[in-house]
Amino acid sequence: MSEKPQRPNGIPIDTVFSVLSNEHRQVVLTSLLRENGPVSVEALIDHIVREVCPVDESRPDKLRTSMAVRLHHVHLPLLHDAGMIDYDPERKMAEVTDAGQMIKPIP
């Protein structure tokens, strides 16, 4: 039986495609790739709201709260489990890993 194809960073290509199939996770990883260290969850929320969510959102607090919950419970853990980021839920900080550095967006 053949092995699953892997990227040079050791993350199976199926995992890369699956994890990055969500626009919010794409924005998170792109934001982390632009930084040279840990980024707060609040800053990631700002990036997502600015890049993905409607500008004329009538309830921005509700949107931010919803995004914080989804980041904490879904998006950041998936990126962490895939080995693309380090996520510290207690400190509410995330940072791209060496393996995640290998996944660069196309300009």
Side-chain angles (χ1 to χ4, degrees), residues 10-105:
I11 301 172
I13 196 73
D14 292 349
T15 301
V16 173
F17 285 132
S18 175
V19 170
L20 295 180
S21 67
N22 179 276
E23 188 175 17
H24 294 164
R25 290 191 290 272
Q26 293 171 20
V27 171
V28 167
L29 187 59
T30 301
S31 298
L32 292 173
L33 284 165
R34 290 182 183 143
E35 301 298 324
N36 290 328
V39 177
S40 72
V41 171
E42 285 299 315
L44 293 172
I45 292 168
D46 290 341
H47 289 282
I48 293 170
V49 168
R50 187 173 49 253
E51 294 193 27
V52 178
C53 299
V55 175
D56 61 349
E57 177 65 41
S58 60
R59 301 182 70 186
D61 291 339
K62 184 176 180 181
L63 175 66
R64 290 183 64 77
T65 300
S66 172
M67 186 58 57
V69 169
R70 284 184 281 171
L71 276 177
H72 177 73
H73 290 287
V74 179
H75 301 309
L76 295 174
L78 274 170
L79 287 161
H80 178 81
D81 291 346
M84 296 176 192
I85 70 166
D86 285 326
Y87 172 51
D88 183 343
E90 290 181 16
R91 290 182 43 231
K92 297 182 181 178
M93 300 293 286
E95 183 174 13
V96 71
T97 62
D98 290 341
Q101 287 282 346
M102 302 292 286
I103 304 168
K104 301 274 186 193

